[in-house]
């Protein structure tokens, strides 16, 4: 008990000494940290007008290491490339869904953030990741610096990323008919999908090489490929396949996609494709 009182005295004495030491200090001044909100640039205002305000989609183009894989060599996009890339996404993806599915469709079902990355996201397998969809809330788009609005193949490649990733978000909202799709090419899926080119994958009943990775990617690749190609371009893809069983299987997968859009969302998929094609041409022509 004596020891306890002794310790209490020490604690009290220490507190008095600390108070005494502090009493002679200068009064606290304002923080040196800048906590003011930075003024918005012309680009920021354009993003607010075209993405944040109408769709509640935030665009992150300024570097934030917490939103990317720090084990990869990634870097922010050139600011001069941000608006052109977003104009492509707006015209071909947003405007097409708005016209066919209604003005509130993407407002209701949409990622809440786009993260733009300037360069390529290279994998150890030698493949390239063009985009990522995370929990239906964020889509990361890579290779923003390489976008060229005058190059049709370049635009289609870039737009296929957002079309593909958005399909995953739609599937999280309402699942597609996995049982039916799984029966079409049940033995063709492989984790080693990148070992053969798309031309070989098509001869096996898959629209792209990546479609062979699993059933979810098969559905997303099937949908996205049809959305970035015109009716004639898609017909040319099927005509290039020599294996007629493969052609028939791809057409069966097409039917699953078309039925899904109609049953789940009341969307005429072919009208959506045609609208996207019209808007792609408008982008290329500078309209």
């Amino acid at each position: 008990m004596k020891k306890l009182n002794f310790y209490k005295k020490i604690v009290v004495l220490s507190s008095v000494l600390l108070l005494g030491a502090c009493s002679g200090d200068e009064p606290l001044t304002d923080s040196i940290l800048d906590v003011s909100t930075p003024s918005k640039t012309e680009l920021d205002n354009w993003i607010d007008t075209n993405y944040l305000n109408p769709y509640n989609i935030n665009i992150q183009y300024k570097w934030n290491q917490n939103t990317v894989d720090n084990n990869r060599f990634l870097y922010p996009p050139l600011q001069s490339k941000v608006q052109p890339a977003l104009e492509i996404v707006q015209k071909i993806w947003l405007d097409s869904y708005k016209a066919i599915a209604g003005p509130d469709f993407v407002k209701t079902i949409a990622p809440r953030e786009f993260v733009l990355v300037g360069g390529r996201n290279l994998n150890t397998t030698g493949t390239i990741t063009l985009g990522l969809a995370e929990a239906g809330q964020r889509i990361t788009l890579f290779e923003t610096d390489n976008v060229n609005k005058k190059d049709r193949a370049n635009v289609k490649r870039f737009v296929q990323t957002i079309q593909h990733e958005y399909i995953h978000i739609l599937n999280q909202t309402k699942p597609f008919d996995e049982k039916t799709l799984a029966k079409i090419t049940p033995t063709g899926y492989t984790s080693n999908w990148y070992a053969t080119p798309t031309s070989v994958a098509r001869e096996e009943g898959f629209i792209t090489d990546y479609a062979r990775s699993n059933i979810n990617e098969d559905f997303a690749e099937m949908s996205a490929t049809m959305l970035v190609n015109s009716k004639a371009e898609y017909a040319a893809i099927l005509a290039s396949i020599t294996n007629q069983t493969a052609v028939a299987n791809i057409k069966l997968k097409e039917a699953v996609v078309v039925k899904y859009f109609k049953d789940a969302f009341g969307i005429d998929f072919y009208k959506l494709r045609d609208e996207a094609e019209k808007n792609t041409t408008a982008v290329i022509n500078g309209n």
Side-chain angles (χ1 to χ4, degrees), residues 50 166 183:
N50 293 278
Y166 188 55
K183 294 177 182 178

Side-chain angles (χ1 to χ4, degrees), residues 27 37 114 122 228 273:
T37 303
F114 282 145
L122 296 172
V228 300
R273 175 202 62 193

